[in-house]
Amino acid sequence: MGGTLLVQVALAAAGCGEHHRADELTDRAAGIAAGLRGYDDTYRTSCGPIAVELARVVVAAASVAPAEVRCRPLARTLIAEVARGHAAPAGVARLATLVGLTR
């Protein structure tokens, strides 16, 4: 399974409350991302260390304080900035939609 898909599945698991499984999946994605070089991303999937770390932050936030992710202005600002970025991970885009930052 590719790193990008692992990140997506991890974010979905976190959204369903499967936080332990989400952690396992992000660890697997991190292993894949660590082995990539800049030119290995032929299909521009953006599965690199930064995407994996962002997924870890979202997974951790969803497991510790899901309401904080939805309600805190700082969290909302961060999610909005990442979601507006070029090629934002689908999980971030989904999270932005869930907290009402996109339509």
Side-chain angles (χ1 to χ4, degrees):
M1 184 179 293
T4 301
L5 186 55
L6 286 168
V7 166
Q8 297 307 311
V9 174
L11 293 171
C16 293
E18 296 289 332
H19 305 294
H20 180 70
R21 185 70 178 139
D23 288 336
E24 291 173 357
L25 292 162
T26 53
D27 287 343
R28 287 180 56 194
I32 291 171
L36 294 177
R37 297 171 299 240
Y39 52 84
D40 285 340
D41 194 11
T42 305
Y43 299 107
R44 311 293 256 170
T45 59
S46 301
C47 182
I50 294 172
V52 173
E53 285 307 308
L54 178 59
R56 285 186 197 273
V57 169
V58 173
V59 166
S63 67
V64 175
E68 294 290 316
V69 173
R70 289 185 168 82
C71 300
R72 284 273 185 207
L74 182 59
R76 293 174 61 83
T77 300
L78 175 63
I79 293 165
E81 289 297 319
V82 173
R84 285 187 205 114
H86 181 64
V92 173
R94 179 178 172 270
L95 181 60
T97 301
L98 287 173
V99 298
L101 295 173
T102 61
R103 294 177 193 245

